[in-house]
Amino acid sequence: MNFHEYQAKELFAKYKIPVPNGEVARTPDEAVAAAKSLGCDMWVVKAQVHAGGRGKAGGVKLAKTLDEVKQYATDMLGMKIQTYQTGGLALPVNEVLITEAADIEQEIYLSLLLDRANQCLSFVASAEGGVEIEEVAKTNPEKIHTIQVDNTEGLFPYACRKAGFAMGMNAKQVRQLTHIMMQMHKMYVELDLSLIEVNPLIIDDKQDVIALDAKISSDDNAHFRHKEFAAMRDITQEDPAEAKAHEHDLNYIKLDGNIACMVNGAGLAMATMDVIKLKGGDPANFLDVGGGATAERVAIAFKIILSDPNVKSILVNIFGGIVRCDLIANGIISAIKEVGVEVPIVVRLEGTNVNEGKKILNESGLAVISADNLDDAANKAVAAVGA
């Protein structure tokens, strides 16, 4: 789950990470009231969407008067922003953040994320902040500093100080950076996060280090420990099909292909997508319906799959372990009748009562293409697209 900038900064403030004063607004009048309450003479109006690159899309404006605050808020609220980070979606702006303007002397990049290659958490820092860190890594890799966090002993202050001095900070700034990094690590662990990114982390005219921006993502699998996050989710920022899948506890990710996949088990779903690709096809989605592939869940899964107009065929690959194949077959038939699927469906069943399941599908009278194994299923799904 992704958080809006204003939500991320509220969490930062709870962990005593310095951020500019700001208030969120949902109407132009609220924006003006927020600007007045901040008691400064220049403001930044920032569109709240789950993506970077807002500034280039007109989503970040410096206002020198209250009239400008109102005008920028009016322009942004209701607009849709599409950037290189939105995955092809145009995200609606329903809120703007009004913050006090800062005098920036230096911009720094700082993030904390799960480092899968080294099986630990790692900080990534660079004195080249305010731009895409991927570009810095490509053109000036020597300016990227990585601090790996020991899984047992945690983060040591000396490692933070080392990174700060490596980026040319003075003693005061290094102390502040160390505090920020220690609090970021504490926050990451306590809130079960998957990413904290500050771009930019600035040094202002008073030589203080402040988080000017904030991007946070959390691990959905840990939300049972953080019930408060449910109210912070903004489904208007998500793909509608993915949001619907989340509502029904289905794991769905939309892709660019035309062969839809419905599988029970994440590993099997990945393998199914790989085999489709191997056979010359393109998966339209990742979809794990879970161990209990009931008729109701299968019906919902079909509806989500068919909401994608690019889908030309569907490959159902189910292993009957927790649920028997004959029950799965009945569920598939019921779901097809309920939803009214009009694209070719290839079904591969394996596991408990597999012969009974195949017999039910073959005698259903529906246009279901039965497959003997995954290789056969992928071949038939790819062929069905070209038919």
Side-chain angles (χ1 to χ4, degrees), residues 10-71:
E10 287 172 359
L11 294 174
F12 272 18
K14 289 181 180 179
Y15 280 82
K16 303 188 185 309
I17 296 173
V19 295
N21 293 323
E23 292 184 19
V24 68
R26 295 170 178 84
T27 67
D29 288 339
E30 284 184 10
V32 172
K36 289 179 179 178
S37 70
L38 292 176
C40 52
D41 53 10
M42 278 201 299
W43 307 266
V44 180
V45 183
K46 308 177 82 173
Q48 297 300 283
V49 292
H50 288 173
R54 295 170 297 172
K56 295 178 182 179
V60 179
K61 296 289 186 180
L62 176 65
K64 298 179 180 179
T65 67
L66 292 174
D67 287 340
E68 287 186 352
V69 169
K70 187 170 186 177
Q71 184 60 55

Side-chain angles (χ1 to χ4, degrees), residues 108-293:
I108 297 163
Y109 176 91
L110 182 65
S111 66
L112 176 59
L113 67 160
L114 180 61
D115 184 344
R116 297 184 185 276
N118 294 296
Q119 300 181 6
C120 65
L121 298 182
S122 289
F123 279 93
V124 177
S126 174
E128 299 289 324
V131 297
E132 291 92 359
I133 194 64
E134 296 85 0
E135 188 63 28
V136 177
K138 183 189 301 182
T139 58
N140 301 103
E142 73 281 357
K143 295 184 178 181
I144 303 290
H145 307 277
T146 303
I147 304 96
Q148 295 177 9
V149 182
D150 187 275
N151 291 325
T152 303
E153 297 179 334
L155 178 65
F156 288 103
Y158 82 86
C160 307
R161 292 194 292 270
K162 184 178 179 181
F165 285 121
M167 291 189 291
M169 291 181 165
N170 62 35
K172 172 188 174 182
Q173 295 158 1
V174 167
R175 285 195 299 271
Q176 294 179 348
L177 176 69
T178 299
H179 166 77
I180 290 172
M181 291 176 68
M182 296 296 292
Q183 291 303 104
M184 281 175 63
H185 180 256
K186 180 181 180 182
M187 176 180 176
Y188 191 108
V189 173
E190 291 183 352
L191 299 182
D192 294 297
L193 303 180
S194 57
L195 171 71
I196 304 177
E197 183 181 65
V198 185
N199 190 24
L201 180 76
I202 67 161
I203 298 174
D204 68 8
D205 59 334
K206 298 176 182 177
Q207 299 301 298
D208 288 326
V209 183
I210 300 172
L212 194 67
D213 198 1
K215 180 179 180 181
I216 293 178
S217 299
S218 65
D219 185 347
D220 289 4
N221 295 310
H223 281 186
F224 69 94
R225 288 199 288 260
H226 307 284
K227 305 295 186 184
E228 70 277 12
F229 287 173
M232 302 173 76
R233 189 176 206 113
D234 185 354
I235 62 172
T236 68
Q237 302 294 305
E238 302 174 17
D239 181 276
E242 292 182 13
K244 185 174 180 62
H246 179 270
E247 180 184 340
H248 294 280
D249 295 321
L250 297 172
N251 297 308
Y252 172 89
I253 299 173
K254 187 181 181 301
L255 301 174
D256 297 329
N258 54 18
I259 301 176
C261 307
M262 185 191 303
V263 191
N264 65 332
L268 186 59
M270 294 296 290
T272 302
M273 294 163 60
D274 286 344
V275 176
I276 288 173
K277 198 71 178 175
L278 182 67
K279 299 300 180 180
D282 288 307
N285 63 271
F286 169 95
L287 175 56
D288 171 16
V289 296

Side-chain angles (χ1 to χ4, degrees), residues 258-260 308-314 343-344 384-385:
N258 54 18
I259 301 176
D308 181 357
N310 295 327
V311 169
K312 304 302 180 185
S313 72
I314 302 172
V343 298
V385 171

Side-chain angles (χ1 to χ4, degrees), residues 85-96:
Q85 289 189 5
T86 62
L89 295 175
L91 303 179
V93 179
N94 302 315
E95 300 153 320
V96 292

